[in-house]
Amino acid sequence: MNNEDTPDADDGEEDFDQEAEPQQDAGADIDLSGFMKSARQTAAWLNSIDKMLEPARRQIRALESTRRAIDSVMGPGNVVYQAALDAQRQYRAIAAPVLALQSDLSDIYDWHRRIDDVVRSVSLPRALLDQLAAAAAFFLPANLSGLDTEDLYTILDLGEDDGLSLAWAPRTEIVKALLPLSTREERYALLTERRDDVLDDVDASLQIVTHPELTDMVTILSAATRTARADFSEGAQALAGNVLETAMKRHGNAWIRRTFPQVFYPPRAGHHGTIGSALDDADDWGDLTLLQFKHFLVLAGMRSAFGPGATQDTFNRHLSAHQASPDAYRPEFVLPAILLAHALLRALNQDLTRPDDEEDDA
């Protein structure tokens, strides 16, 4: 039975959608005192709810800014923009009953519209715009931007069926080529055909993983990609599987529990039990939130990677480590194993607290 990390405490709480008070001339005819009072009361109430939504804390202050950035950079037809709008509507649906106790909702929304108009007309420094656009990475890996909703849910299904993750790698072109294929064998064959491109994309993506607790694993996974290029498929699969196991043991289980705190996890659950509990709670991908979607892109293929049993038609880390055989080590398993380990490292790199973050919070 695997021992699991104890979930770490998250960073300090943040209020959602809080705008700075606008500067007004003495003759301005908008009285914001009643609104600001109700906003403070609403914020206090939302803070109590926010404790139950720990995975969203780090991103929640940036949601409105990110929505505007996506609007200006990508346009309203982009799927990420639409998801951000959905999240904003959900927040307003929660806040509206409380706000209504203090003021007329029509006045509140009229004020919000005026502020939106002002913000849209303000020229922002290029560096700030770049930061806002980069925040979209919290919601969707860059290689999947531009895909429609149906494609994104298809990718979740393919991940679970094929035991792989398409988050952050490979490139969009390869992901799109996988979608119309009807069988796992065809998809594995395409990945194998494009092996060097897939490995190039993984190597480039691993350059983003700079957290000090992950750099050793990045080194070993980079060795796995070099081993795969040299056509030593068994060695590449073994290295990738060991990185996946190490990442799960050190940080992965705790990351899953922090990300999905509402899930019931069996006592002393191992990797498979923890992963399976989170995936089962998704209820066939029904009503996924904006922040959960990316995490499920990482998790979808991991159930089969840690699944029990004596044989399997997808990569299985348990079998390759404890029941090594030619059946457990197959050339078509190499890229799925590398993609799984890579996706988990990318997710952990965004999630783990860095030493400089702790100093800032002190």
Side-chain angles (χ1 to χ4, degrees):
M1 189 69 70
N2 293 310
N3 294 325
E4 297 184 358
D5 300 330
T6 301
D8 300 326
D10 270 330
D11 297 334
E13 297 179 9
E14 303 181 16
D15 295 337
F16 190 104
D17 202 31
Q18 295 297 301
E19 302 274 11
E21 291 191 39
Q23 299 293 324
Q24 295 192 20
D25 297 331
D29 59 356
I30 303 176
D31 181 7
L32 299 180
S33 60
F35 172 79
M36 295 308 298
K37 179 179 178 181
S38 66
R40 286 191 293 269
Q41 293 172 341
T42 303
W45 177 68
L46 288 176
N47 282 340
S48 66
I49 296 177
D50 189 47
K51 293 179 181 179
M52 297 183 290
L53 303 174
E54 293 182 3
R57 284 182 179 175
R58 297 180 182 180
Q59 295 88 3
I60 211 165
R61 283 179 67 92
L63 183 56
E64 175 65 8
S65 296
T66 301
R67 180 188 69 79
R68 294 193 184 105
I70 295 169
D71 183 16
S72 62
V73 175
M74 301 180 185
N78 184 274
V79 65
V80 181
Y81 170 81
Q82 294 298 332
L85 276 183
D86 291 342
Q88 184 187 32
R89 292 190 187 101
Q90 291 176 18
Y91 158 71
R92 286 180 172 170
I94 294 173
V98 179
L99 294 172
L101 297 175
Q102 300 295 327
S103 181
D104 187 330
L105 279 177
S106 63
D107 292 341
I108 293 173
Y109 286 120
D110 180 64
W111 184 81
H112 271 288
R113 283 194 296 271
R114 296 187 191 188
I115 294 299
D116 283 344
D117 290 341
V118 171
V119 171
R120 290 174 188 275
S121 67
V122 173
S123 297
L124 297 176
R126 174 62 183 270
L128 179 56
L129 285 177
D130 290 343
Q131 291 174 2
L132 294 178
F138 280 118
F139 308 126
L140 197 66
N143 68 318
L144 303 182
S145 64
L147 299 179
D148 61 31
T149 302
E150 183 178 352
D151 288 340
L152 292 172
Y153 278 95
T154 297
I155 290 170
L156 286 175
D157 291 334
L158 293 185
E160 193 158 35
D161 292 342
D162 295 352
L164 56 82
S165 173
L166 301 177
W168 294 288
R171 64 195 65 179
T172 309
E173 168 203 345
I174 297 177
V175 172
K176 289 182 176 180
L178 290 169
L179 294 177
L181 301 181
S182 57
T183 67
R184 178 188 302 147
E185 289 74 18
E186 291 176 313
R187 292 186 288 272
Y188 278 3
L190 176 61
L191 289 174
T192 301
E193 179 184 344
R194 301 292 301 272
R195 183 195 70 179
D196 289 345
D197 290 332
V198 173
L199 295 176
D200 286 346
D201 295 339
V202 170
D203 285 336
S205 178
L206 287 175
Q207 300 303 309
I208 305 298
V209 183
T210 58
H211 193 283
E213 294 190 33
L214 303 176
T215 51
D216 286 347
M217 286 178 273
V218 169
T219 299
I220 300 302
L221 192 57
S222 296
T225 65
R226 294 195 301 273
T227 305
R229 292 181 194 274
D231 292 325
F232 295 110
S233 60
E234 295 89 350
Q237 180 181 323
L239 288 170
N242 287 336
V243 169
L244 185 63
E245 165 65 23
T246 302
M248 276 298 297
K249 185 174 183 179
R250 290 184 181 176
H251 305 292
N253 288 293
W255 166 69
I256 294 171
R257 291 171 183 263
R258 283 196 302 272
T259 303
F260 306 103
Q262 78 284 359
V263 174
F264 170 76
Y265 299 97
R268 299 181 61 82
H271 300 337
H272 182 258
T274 302
I275 294 166
S277 296
L279 289 174
D280 289 341
D281 188 70
D283 191 24
D284 294 327
W285 318 126
D287 299 325
L288 297 188
T289 68
L290 180 67
L291 297 174
Q292 287 176 336
F293 194 90
K294 179 183 65 180
H295 300 142
F296 279 120
L297 288 169
V298 177
L299 279 183
M302 291 177 61
R303 190 203 303 260
S304 60
F306 290 101
T311 185
Q312 196 165 336
D313 291 328
T314 58
F315 164 70
N316 186 291
R317 184 268 160 193
H318 178 78
L319 290 180
S320 60
H322 301 291
Q323 299 186 39
S325 71
D327 186 59
Y329 283 88
R330 306 184 200 175
E332 63 266 30
F333 291 170
V334 174
L335 292 179
I338 290 174
L339 287 169
L340 278 176
H342 153 263
L344 181 57
L345 291 181
R346 283 294 307 262
L348 293 176
N349 188 65
Q350 287 189 350
D351 177 76
L352 292 175
T353 300
R354 297 175 184 269
D356 53 350
D357 293 337
E358 293 176 352
E359 293 175 3
D360 291 341
D361 291 339

